[in-house]
Amino acid sequence: MSESKTRRGPRGGAAKRDSGARGAAKGEPAARTVKRKRRLRIGISCYAHFGGSGVVASELALELAHRGHEVHLIASRLPFRLRSFESNIFFHESSPAFYPVFEDAPSNLALAAKMVEVVENYSLDILHVHYAMPFATSAYLARQIMLPRQLGVVTTLHGTDITVVGAEPSFFRVTQYSIQSSDRITAVSRFLKERAESTFGITRPIEVIYNWVDPNVFSPRRVGRLRLAGPDTKVIMHASNFRAVKNIPVIIQVFAEVRRKMQAKLVMVGDGPEKAGAEQLARELGIHRDVLFLGNQDCMEELLPLADVFLLPSSSESFGLVALEAMSAEVPVVASNAGGLPEVVEHGFTGFLHDPGHIAGFVNSTLKLLTNEPLRRTMGRRGRRVARERFTADEMVGHYMRVYESLR
Ligand code: GMT
């Protein structure tokens, strides 16, 4: 398998980023500062497809690279959020060879083999994996293969690796063992840390490091040519990977109620197993002309500012990165009070939270925001302030750096 230096599309996401010298002394290039501190070589492994864990891993890779560290991304393909060339980031594709005997290609073994190869060839200090399954297991295997070589393995728990699929009996013991075998464990919310401890009996310390948002990328609406609806039509937006935990039918039902009362459009961004059912439900409820299913989009920073309200009624949500991105764009959030969402969205201050199945609650809160522009704007501005002050890259990446340094 050939190694290729990361090449990304021309969309210019990174150019808009508040890049470069974060953490460096004034007038001093970041790389020089790091040189004094010591430049780390960090492997990062994650899912490449649309989803929050891959976004966080990619944003972390970018932040580390901007600070002058050398980052080696190991994934089945280039993660979607890496859209432009970035020096200091190297991409290593992991894919299993095909053989007719296989029922399913053993991709987890190929991943472990690629981890070994990259760690050895590039003398990595740290291997940081995102989402326990299968990444923590492949990292465990890779490290065992390389013994007695020292390699720090960090596992970040993201959500359904703990709350849904990792806890399935067919995966439980291997997930538990792989997490416990990591040198350091982090979780993206207090909720997720507690859930990992109670479900898996994890006894090793779990550090909570929240996700962050770049307020220069996710910024409020500017006057521009991009529109999703006419000037008198309010826009409600949802974005996810359309899995059962996202409560997609509730979104359609809430919108049907709102639409009865006012002119509005529902913009659904993303794709997944629940999408076809949602399209069907929208037709059955006679609202399909006002529901736009945009499919997967990798320009959330362009879409979110066009929303008047962001809706996220998940039955389970460890953090809700997209809710934070909406807040950063000054869009108030109406969400469920499930999981870690109350750690991100404050009820009555930056949005409204209700029980996941409480359709009337979601409808009332959405209508309250859409019919009271001063309230909507106030909550939106507060959301941006909270995003800028409490969920910063400097704080969270600094925390990850301390985790890495503790392993050296
Ligand atoms: O657990 C998942 O659903 C996968 C993961 C992903 O890749 O989309 O999402 C989780 O991680 C995100 C980033 O940390 C969090 O913002 C999401 O809340 C979380 N999803 C869930 O807990 C459902």
Side-chain angles (χ1 to χ4, degrees):
M1 188 55 55
S2 65
E3 304 293 328
S4 56
K5 186 91 186 284
T6 320
R7 299 245 169 245
R8 296 181 221 122
R11 302 191 66 118
K16 280 188 245 165
R17 209 168 288 278
D18 176 20
S19 65
R22 273 187 187 142
K26 220 175 174 184
E28 187 179 19
R32 268 186 52 205
T33 314
V34 168
K35 208 168 180 187
R36 254 194 271 117
K37 278 188 183 165
R38 224 189 82 67
R39 182 181 208 235
L40 291 180
R41 293 197 187 93
I42 304 152
I44 290 184
S45 208
C46 65
Y47 285 113
H49 52 67
F50 289 87
S53 57
V55 170
V56 174
S58 305
E59 295 291 343
L60 179 60
L62 289 164
E63 293 288 344
L64 293 168
H66 290 161
R67 287 161 170 77
H69 300 289
E70 186 176 305
V71 181
H72 292 264
L73 266 168
I74 306 165
S76 59
R77 58 198 150 82
L78 191 65
F80 78 98
R81 266 282 170 103
L82 295 173
R83 289 177 287 196
S84 61
F85 175 78
E86 206 63 52
S87 54
N88 288 339
I89 298 185
F90 299 80
F91 173 56
H92 308 270
E93 187 176 303
S94 140
S95 56
F98 174 74
Y99 191 65
V101 164
F102 295 153
E103 285 181 6
D104 295 302
S107 55
N108 306 345
L109 299 184
L111 176 62
K114 183 57 73 176
M115 286 171 169
V116 170
E117 181 191 312
V118 176
V119 168
E120 289 184 342
N121 286 352
Y122 295 88
S123 306
L124 299 193
D125 304 296
I126 303 288
L127 186 54
H128 185 176
V129 298
H130 291 261
Y131 205 86
M133 303 170 58
F135 299 101
T137 310
S138 298
Y140 168 77
L141 180 56
R143 190 171 51 181
Q144 291 301 107
I145 291 168
M146 286 182 281
L147 282 173
R149 187 188 204 290
Q150 294 293 308
L151 172 73
V153 172
V154 180
T155 295
T156 291
L157 310 174
H158 278 275
T160 49
D161 45 353
I162 297 302
T163 56
V164 184
V165 67
E168 285 281 318
S170 56
F171 295 121
F172 182 86
R173 288 295 301 278
V174 80
T175 311
Q176 179 187 48
Y177 186 82
S178 308
I179 295 170
Q180 284 276 36
S181 304
S182 302
D183 296 302
R184 290 286 184 280
I185 309 162
T186 76
V188 297
S189 62
R190 281 199 311 275
F191 156 80
L192 194 61
K193 165 189 159 74
E194 284 159 18
R195 182 58 79 83
E197 287 164 348
S198 60
T199 303
F200 289 92
I202 303 291
T203 49
R204 312 273 320 282
I206 302 178
E207 294 188 50
V208 175
I209 306 181
Y210 286 131
N211 296 329
W212 66 92
V213 65
D214 185 338
N216 296 319
V217 174
F218 287 88
S219 56
R221 185 188 320 204
R222 287 183 210 94
V223 181
R225 135 195 98 72
L226 200 58
R227 302 186 85 102
L228 290 168
D232 299 327
T233 303
K234 299 292 183 187
V235 173
I236 301 167
M237 192 176 287
H238 169 81
S240 75
N241 41 22
F242 284 61
R243 279 171 301 156
V245 288
K246 303 292 176 180
N247 251 346
I248 300 293
V250 166
I251 298 170
I252 304 294
Q253 286 165 297
V254 168
F255 177 69
E257 294 295 319
V258 171
R259 181 66 193 86
R260 248 182 234 143
K261 302 264 167 49
M262 65 188 300
Q263 190 69 17
K265 293 261 184 224
L266 174 65
V267 177
M268 301 285 280
V269 187
D271 210 333
E274 299 285 308
K275 187 178 164 212
E279 288 170 320
Q280 173 68 22
L281 182 58
R283 274 194 298 277
E284 282 168 17
L285 295 176
I287 51 169
H288 53 288
R289 288 189 207 293
D290 290 320
V291 185
L292 277 66
F293 287 92
L294 299 188
N296 283 329
Q297 301 283 336
D298 71 353
C299 55
M300 286 312 296
E301 69 275 17
E302 289 171 29
L303 286 170
L304 280 171
L306 304 177
D308 293 295
V309 166
F310 188 79
L311 196 51
L312 192 64
S314 312
S315 58
S316 172
E317 196 70 64
S318 68
F319 182 89
L321 178 58
V322 69
L324 178 63
E325 291 172 341
M327 284 162 57
S328 181
E330 281 192 4
V331 178
V333 176
V334 174
S336 69
N337 52 15
L341 277 168
E343 295 171 57
V344 182
V345 181
E346 194 177 326
H347 179 70
F349 188 68
T350 55
F352 294 102
L353 301 175
H354 300 282
D355 289 341
H358 188 13
I359 292 180
F362 293 126
V363 171
N364 290 340
S365 293
T366 304
L367 284 170
K368 193 186 271 185
L369 287 163
L370 294 183
T371 54
N372 185 344
E373 189 59 11
L375 175 73
R376 198 191 74 77
R377 282 184 183 273
T378 302
M379 284 198 158
R381 277 196 293 270
R382 286 181 194 147
R384 181 160 172 82
R385 199 169 68 230
V386 168
R388 291 182 81 122
E389 290 172 1
R390 296 210 356 241
F391 297 94
T392 66
D394 275 348
E395 181 176 342
M396 310 312 168
V397 178
H399 197 157
Y400 279 122
M401 280 306 301
R402 289 195 293 283
V403 169
Y404 300 158
E405 292 290 351
S406 73
L407 288 171
R408 301 195 26 76

